[in-house]
């Protein structure tokens, strides 16, 4: 595989600047020289996704070839992350983009190793094996699935890091809303959440960075890029919290959400506890300051010993714990970060 010349120049420029250029691909590419791998309907016509012909993931020969192609891209260009978009299994999960209905698109081609019209189980097994081998070969690469795949729900995330929600996410509060449902309805672990950073002025930017820290173990810049481009203050904010995250990354892979779903409550929160100590993030989503009572007994992972508490944001100050609880005031559309330490 060779990237187009313009892309080769972009990758070269990135390397000169110390930036890794990454991209994404559809997972069921059709190969012009291998029409025998196309996924065909009952009339013998190729299925299409947004006008592009699709190969059949139930065909083992195709999947082996496609794995070699993807590996050749990774080995040559060494991206730090990669995304997969477009559909994978033969199923129309939505009615749109030229599809009139929702439903299955079974492959009727012969020679793929499945009975005509009975491709779905083989597709699933081959896709799982493809992802397993990819993760085994590139254990440290961030692998994401994009909008065209995420309707596969939890099973489709196996061996991947997360599913991206940038195009469905309007702000930091919206992102926490989505990840709350990821964890409480879809039973996904915190480290598989997607955390975009949004922009605005320095206060909004910092709020979004802190929200991302509370949401997942890694984050990506979204519209926050403009804030970094235009504001040295925002650059300083990102450096400050990145330094904090480097020191406290072990707390960010798991969390317990508190108070309720963002948007249903004025203040939502998350607790990140390891070895009996940790951090609590608070977020106020309304137009007034709000005070909440944090019951230490409601936080899994804390010991039955005495604790002391200290705010590190928006200011550094001790917080009194009385009768096993702390009163925390969070300013309107603001965040607070509390450190809980054994006394």
């Amino acid at each position: 595989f060779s990237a187009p010349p313009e892309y080769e120049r972009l990758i070269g420029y990135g390397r000169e600047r110390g930036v890794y250029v990454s991209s994404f691909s559809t997972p069921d590419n059709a190969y012009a020289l291998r029409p025998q791998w196309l996924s065909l309907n009952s009339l013998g016509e190729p299925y299409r996704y947004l006008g592009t012909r699709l190969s059949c993931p139930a065909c083992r020969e195709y999947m082996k070839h496609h794995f070699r192609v993807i590996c050749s891209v990774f080995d040559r260009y060494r991206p730090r992350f990669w995304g997969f978009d477009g559909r994978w299994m033969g199923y129309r999960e939505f009615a749109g983009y030229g599809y009139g209905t929702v439903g299955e698109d079974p492959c009727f081609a012969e020679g793929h190793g499945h009975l005509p019209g009975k491709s779905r189980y083989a597709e699933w097994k081959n896709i799982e094996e493809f992802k397993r081998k990819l993760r085994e070969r590139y254990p440290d690469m961030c692998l994401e699935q994009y909008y065209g795949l995420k309707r596969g729900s939890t099973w489709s995330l196996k061996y991947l890091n997360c599913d991206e929600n940038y195009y469905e996410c309007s702000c930091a509060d919206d992102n926490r809303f989505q990840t709350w449902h990821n964890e409480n309805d879809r039973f996904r672990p915190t480290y598989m959440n997607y955390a975009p950073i949004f922009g605005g002025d320095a206060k909004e930017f910092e709020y979004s960075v802190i929200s991302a820290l509370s949401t997942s173990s890694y984050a990506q810049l979204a519209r926050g890029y403009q804030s970094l481009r235009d504001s040295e203050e925002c650059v300083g904010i990102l450096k400050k919290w990145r330094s904090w995250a480097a020191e406290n990354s072990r707390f960010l892979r798991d969390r317990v959400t508190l108070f309720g779903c963002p948007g249903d409550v004025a203040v939502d929160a998350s607790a990140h506890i390891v070895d009996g100590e940790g951090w609590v993030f608070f977020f106020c989503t309304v137009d007034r300051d709000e005070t909440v009572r944090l019951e230490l007994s409601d936080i899994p992972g804390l010991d039955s010993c005495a604790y002391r508490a200290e705010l590190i944001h928006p200011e550094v100050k001790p917080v009194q714990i009385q009768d096993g609880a702390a009163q925390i005031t969070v300013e309107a559309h603001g965040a607070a970060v509390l450190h809980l330490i054994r006394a």
Side-chain angles (χ1 to χ4, degrees), residues 292-342:
V292 293
R293 180 179 173 87
L294 178 68
E295 297 280 354
L296 300 192
S297 60
D298 290 340
I299 303 177
L302 293 184
D303 300 326
S304 57
C305 61
Y307 279 86
R308 60 185 177 89
E310 181 184 51
L311 275 178
I312 68 162
H313 180 84
E315 58 181 329
V316 177
K317 68 175 184 180
V319 174
Q320 190 174 11
I321 297 177
Q322 288 185 328
D323 301 323
Q327 299 283 348
I328 306 296
T329 299
V330 191
E331 64 181 33
H333 300 291
V337 182
L338 182 74
H339 195 190
L340 291 173
I341 315 118
R342 291 189 185 93

Side-chain angles (χ1 to χ4, degrees), residues 42-220:
S42 59
L43 300 177
E45 300 167 340
Y47 287 113
R48 296 177 182 269
Y49 182 80
L50 302 182
T52 302
R53 297 186 305 170
L54 305 175
S55 290
C56 175
C59 176
R60 188 167 296 178
E61 290 75 20
Y62 159 68
M63 291 295 283
K64 288 180 179 178
H65 177 79
H66 191 54
F67 179 78
R68 290 194 296 269
V69 171
I70 293 296
C71 289
S72 72
V73 175
F74 291 176
D75 292 341
R76 177 168 181 171
Y77 297 106
R78 313 306 298 180
R80 290 290 185 92
F81 84 91
W82 197 263
F84 294 99
D85 199 0
R87 84 179 211 188
W88 213 334
M89 291 186 71
Y91 196 86
R92 290 169 277 106
E93 300 94 342
F94 59 96
Y97 297 104
Y99 298 127
T101 60
V102 171
E104 191 169 5
D105 281 339
C107 178
F108 288 84
E110 298 181 356
H112 288 183
H114 62 79
L115 294 173
K118 303 289 184 180
S119 56
R120 194 172 189 190
Y121 180 77
E123 290 176 357
W124 172 55
K125 297 299 288 185
N126 288 346
I127 292 167
E128 289 287 272
E129 179 66 6
F130 176 94
K131 294 190 296 180
R132 185 197 65 78
K133 292 192 301 181
L134 206 62
R135 175 53 72 198
E136 183 178 81
R137 182 162 174 165
Y138 306 98
D140 298 324
M141 185 181 293
C142 179
L143 299 172
E144 295 180 347
Q145 66 176 9
Y146 292 168
Y147 190 78
L149 293 181
K150 64 188 300 182
R151 293 175 186 81
S153 193
T154 303
W155 84 266
S156 64
L157 273 176
K158 190 174 183 180
Y159 304 115
L160 305 182
N161 290 83
C162 76
D163 56 26
E164 165 269 344
N165 63 10
Y166 173 59
Y167 295 101
E168 308 148 65
C169 192
S170 61
C171 61
D173 295 338
D174 188 8
N175 184 239
R176 293 197 315 283
F177 170 83
Q178 294 201 34
T179 55
W180 188 94
H181 283 286
N182 279 348
E183 295 174 37
N184 292 279
D185 294 340
R186 304 179 183 109
F187 311 112
R188 297 179 186 175
T190 300
Y191 61 81
M192 298 188 83
N193 285 334
Y194 177 81
I197 297 175
F198 294 91
D201 58 23
K203 180 181 178 181
E204 291 176 351
F205 181 79
E206 186 163 31
Y207 179 88
S208 184
V209 170
I210 297 172
S211 176
L213 291 172
S214 80
T215 299
S216 183
S217 60
Y218 79 103
Q220 293 181 7

